[in-house]
Amino acid sequence: MTEPKRTQREDMEELVQVLREWQDLEDSGIRTLCKLRSQTKNRLLRQVMSIIMHDSSQHRRVQAILLDGLTKEAFSLTPEEVGEIWTGIEEHEKLERASIAKAHAARKSTRDPIVRFFLSYLLADEEKHHRMLEGLEDIKRDLYPYGW
Ligand SMILES: [Fe+2]
Ligand SMILES: [Fe+2]
């Protein structure tokens, strides 16, 4: 017997549920990290906890953006809106590429494991920005299916 096909609405409701549970995870993660941070006087460990806490609240914010887009006001983007700032985005993309190159150069210049640890974190983040803009370009391509 084949399972009944799920409706789009059911898919959306499940997604909303997953995002809410994920937000709870971020919240408890932040609480745990805050507690851990208070348990050490080591500056490096405290800084690592702070960085992850900051990232977790950023994740929580992105989940909130998604929840708003799914439940309150649907996302919308027109070719005109993308076109207006696209040159600026391409300019910025150069900066992200330059940052990635700096992160690589910096990492090559040291063997210090702690310095490399932080540089790797930065490199991953810069690569993430680069990928985000690439993703935006994919969306733009869908908006302009025949080129422009
Ligand atoms: Fe997270
Ligand atoms: Fe960046």
Side-chain angles (χ1 to χ4, degrees):
M1 218 171 68
T2 53
E3 278 186 37
K5 225 178 144 218
R6 288 162 54 98
T7 63
Q8 257 189 333
R9 177 164 193 93
E10 282 170 333
D11 281 345
M12 201 274 270
E13 278 165 2
E14 188 183 304
L15 176 54
V16 166
Q17 183 58 29
V18 169
L19 286 166
R20 288 197 175 126
E21 287 167 10
W22 196 354
Q23 281 194 312
D24 292 341
L25 281 184
E26 299 290 359
D27 284 340
S28 63
I30 293 169
R31 282 195 299 271
T32 317
L33 289 160
C34 189
K35 198 169 159 217
L36 275 172
R37 193 175 58 176
S38 71
Q39 287 167 356
T40 177
K41 286 198 163 53
N42 179 274
R43 190 166 57 104
L44 169 77
L45 290 175
R46 289 177 62 88
Q47 282 161 338
V48 171
M49 299 309 151
S50 293
I51 291 169
I52 306 176
M53 277 167 73
H54 184 268
D55 284 350
S56 298
S57 54
Q58 180 69 351
H59 297 172
R60 206 189 182 290
R61 241 195 76 217
V62 177
Q63 288 141 11
I65 290 170
L66 281 168
L67 283 166
D68 280 353
L70 291 163
T71 62
K72 289 184 189 156
E73 198 184 340
F75 296 113
S76 87
L77 186 63
T78 66
E80 292 71 30
E81 288 167 326
V82 185
E84 261 169 24
I85 63 156
W86 195 254
T87 318
I89 290 177
E90 281 179 333
E91 274 304 305
H92 179 76
E93 172 58 21
K94 284 184 203 161
L95 218 135
E96 297 290 355
R97 280 176 203 273
S99 292
I100 292 171
K102 289 281 180 236
H104 278 295
R107 226 172 37 158
K108 246 187 223 159
S109 69
T110 178
R111 285 197 192 161
D112 183 310
I114 292 171
V115 177
R116 285 179 67 89
F117 165 81
F118 281 118
L119 288 171
S120 296
Y121 165 82
L122 287 174
L123 174 62
D125 247 34
E126 297 299 359
E127 284 173 340
K128 177 181 74 186
H129 296 164
H130 171 67
R131 279 196 303 276
M132 273 188 96
L133 295 175
E134 270 184 343
L136 210 51
E137 193 163 11
D138 290 341
I139 294 173
K140 174 168 117 11
R141 211 173 297 121
D142 287 341
L143 291 172
Y144 293 95
Y146 305 110
W148 57 309

